[in-house]
Amino acid sequence: MSVWIKHYINQAKGFLNALRFLCGYRTTIWINCYKMKKDFESTVNWYVKSQKKYFQCKSVKYIKYDELKVLLTECIFDKLIFIKDNSEDSIKHNLLWQFEEYYGLASTSDNENNPFHPLVREVSALLELESDEYEIFACFMTPIGNHVVVTTIGRVKDD
């Protein structure tokens, strides 16, 4: 994996940790990147099998960004504890745009011909995960060139 992909994924980790704080720690978010196996689908299958000791995968479906954006909004951006404005110019929309940018920077750092907005342009695999601790627990896998970015999000159950 290129040093630049690692760099942007590490930046995204810091950004997501700050979002987690802004959500009042009611949301868990983490991100990682793996080298693509034979193809995207085999990488998704490999990841599900490799993570069995950590979680059970209830389902896998391939989705476009519009559906993924709903999940991100429900788990993260609607949970930002101090922001109520939902306009197009709001801080929430700007933070979502920043999140999308990390994928683009990682993608083009590996190969300038890769799509700049792979999260928006590519199909992602959405893995619905089993958890007693989380109301919503899922990860999505997005291809960027010869790599796959895995982002896991969960919303803690209310007491």
Side-chain angles (χ1 to χ4, degrees):
M1 184 176 322
S2 84
V3 68
W4 286 106
I5 287 181
K6 288 180 184 178
H7 171 77
Y8 289 117
I9 295 300
N10 284 333
Q11 281 189 345
K13 285 178 183 178
F15 176 78
L16 293 173
N17 194 44
L19 285 180
R20 188 173 154 257
F21 168 76
L22 294 172
C23 291
Y25 293 107
R26 302 294 299 158
T27 297
T28 190
I29 318 163
W30 66 90
I31 189 169
N32 215 331
C33 188
Y34 300 93
K35 188 86 170 135
M36 181 89 70
K37 303 298 179 194
K38 184 174 77 172
D39 57 27
F40 183 53
E41 191 172 340
S42 64
T43 308
V44 170
N45 292 333
W46 164 81
Y47 184 77
V48 169
K49 288 176 187 169
S50 73
Q51 300 299 307
K52 278 189 177 183
K53 62 184 170 188
Y54 304 110
F55 56 74
Q56 277 302 113
C57 181
K58 295 185 336 188
S59 68
V60 177
K61 64 181 181 176
Y62 293 88
I63 61 171
K64 295 277 191 180
Y65 184 65
D66 288 344
E67 192 173 344
L68 184 55
K69 192 174 176 180
V70 170
L71 178 67
L72 290 168
T73 300
E74 286 177 0
C75 284
I76 302 171
F77 298 101
D78 279 352
K79 298 301 175 190
L80 296 172
I81 55 179
F82 65 94
I83 303 170
K84 302 298 180 211
D85 182 10
N86 286 319
S87 70
E88 285 296 316
D89 296 328
S90 74
I91 292 173
K92 285 182 187 180
H93 281 80
N94 192 332
L95 290 170
L96 180 60
W97 178 80
Q98 292 294 328
F99 177 70
E100 296 165 3
E101 284 290 296
Y102 283 112
Y103 281 81
L105 293 169
S107 178
T108 56
S109 73
D110 185 46
N111 179 339
E112 65 184 29
N113 295 318
N114 284 345
F116 186 76
H117 288 289
L119 192 59
V120 175
R121 293 184 181 186
E122 301 293 328
V123 170
S124 293
L126 178 65
L127 286 62
E128 184 184 0
L129 309 175
E130 186 83 31
S131 175
D132 294 333
E133 189 178 340
Y134 297 99
E135 182 179 336
I136 297 172
F137 192 43
C139 76
F140 56 94
M141 302 177 69
T142 305
I144 58 165
N146 295 323
H147 298 84
V148 175
V149 176
V150 179
T151 306
T152 305
I153 56 177
R155 187 170 69 201
V156 176
K157 289 181 180 177
D158 292 327
D159 298 328

